[in-house]
Amino acid sequence: MLGRGTRLLAAAAVLACIVLVGPGGPSGAHFARPLPGDAVKEVVPNRVMTWNLCNPCETSNIDRAAEIATYAPQVIGLQEACVRDVKSIRDYLEIVYGLDYHVEYGSVLRNWGRCGGAPWSPGAYGQAVLSAAPMTDHVVVEYPDGGSEDRGYMAVTTTVDGQPVRVFNTHLAERRQEAVRAGQTGVLAAEIARYDRAIVLGDFNAVPDAAELSRMWALAMDTDPECHPAPVGTCRTTTDWHLKFDYIFLRGIAPLTHRVKPTPHSDHHLVHADLAPV
């Protein structure tokens, strides 16, 4: 594995090439864009985010990094994530925006169509967690039944607002596979139940009142105060097709804020929340 200095040197060289080539260069190459004026300047220690990156999509990793850097969460759960894309995003976050993250991967599939690579060695695909604090006890679990595509969850222990917490990140089976998702949430919920404090990030591919999410609601609450298994108020949608599929479930932790930010760089919105102190 490359050391941090070697990795940063390589990332700086790539960045220099992109800036020099500019918009007229190869597909996806363009200037790193500045952040909006109200962007935070450093990592927010009590903020967590979930984001399905959209894959395969024609999206620059520099743009993905800029979206994340605008809100600079302490912990970020990514779905539909290729390892090489996450490595690139992480490098841009540090080189361009001065945000240093640790990373762990929850890859459950190798897929050339999604992640490229040599035909005999396709890229790894699944989930990833970025954390400003070190992570321990990293596990990756593939669901016994992934549905139409292998799916799973990953978990790490890290700190949010200075407190240790178990963080899960998952991507459930695609729509119209309700029975498969029910089995997946059963596997996930059994593990979450072992912890008094947990954050569960992910794309659940199910609306809040879907029966397959009942195991999750029995254990945790979503950071959206209007979002419950029995519809009340206005539950914010998180996708371009006006459905809520993306959740930040909390167990033993209370939310302070909940925000959903549409982005042109994915068909899923960025969802982030600030958490209350213990």
Side-chain angles (χ1 to χ4, degrees):
M1 180 178 290
L2 294 177
R4 182 172 181 271
T6 303
R7 178 174 61 82
L8 294 182
L9 183 61
V14 171
L15 176 61
C17 291
I18 290 176
V19 171
L20 289 172
V21 169
S27 175
H30 59 286
F31 292 101
R33 61 184 172 90
L35 302 183
D38 60 350
V40 299
K41 306 304 180 186
E42 57 188 23
V43 168
V44 182
N46 67 329
R47 180 168 294 171
V48 296
M49 173 187 285
T50 186
W51 190 20
N52 183 313
L53 294 179
C54 183
N55 181 295
C57 292
E58 294 297 325
T59 298
S60 165
N61 287 324
I62 295 180
D63 286 331
R64 288 167 166 164
E67 292 281 5
I68 293 170
T70 299
Y71 309 105
Q74 173 80 1
V75 171
I76 306 145
L78 301 176
Q79 303 89 42
E80 297 198 17
C82 295
V83 167
R84 67 175 186 173
D85 286 333
V86 175
K87 288 180 177 178
S88 178
I89 291 167
R90 179 193 180 200
D91 287 342
Y92 290 135
L93 284 168
E94 184 165 5
I95 294 295
V96 181
Y97 301 112
L99 301 173
D100 188 11
Y101 286 99
H102 304 265
V103 63
E104 294 288 1
Y105 298 97
S107 302
V108 294
L109 181 66
R110 287 193 167 271
N111 189 299
W112 182 86
R114 287 190 182 273
C115 297
W120 56 89
S121 182
Y125 172 80
Q127 288 76 247
V129 169
L130 301 178
S131 174
M135 293 176 275
T136 61
D137 303 319
H138 172 219
V139 299
V140 180
V141 176
E142 184 173 343
Y143 292 125
D145 183 359
S148 56
E149 180 180 80
D150 295 345
R151 295 287 166 94
Y153 74 83
M154 63 179 295
V156 299
T157 297
T158 187
T159 58
V160 176
D161 206 16
Q163 299 297 316
V165 63
R166 192 65 170 167
V167 177
F168 296 82
N169 182 20
T170 192
H171 187 190
L172 300 191
E174 295 173 343
R175 287 180 287 176
R176 296 179 294 278
Q177 299 181 73
E178 293 85 353
V180 174
R181 287 196 298 275
Q184 293 171 348
T185 55
V187 172
L188 179 61
E191 184 63 18
I192 295 168
R194 297 177 56 228
Y195 297 89
D196 294 330
R197 287 169 41 85
I199 300 170
V200 188
L201 310 169
D203 173 4
F204 284 75
N205 270 316
V207 295
D209 60 351
E212 61 264 33
L213 292 190
S214 60
R215 294 286 297 275
M216 292 302 305
W217 291 115
L219 289 171
M221 60 185 291
D222 186 55
T223 55
D224 185 340
E226 302 294 333
C227 199
H228 303 274
V232 295
T234 303
C235 188
R236 294 286 303 277
T237 62
T238 66
T239 65
D240 286 353
W241 46 94
H242 307 295
L243 296 170
K244 178 177 172 68
F245 282 174
D246 305 271
Y247 296 80
I248 300 176
F249 283 112
L250 301 179
R251 176 171 170 84
I253 307 169
L256 281 178
T257 64
H258 173 86
R259 295 184 178 91
V260 178
K261 301 294 184 180
T263 166
H265 306 297
S266 176
D267 53 2
H268 286 252
H269 307 337
L270 288 89
V271 181
H272 68 86
D274 293 353
L275 309 185
V278 176

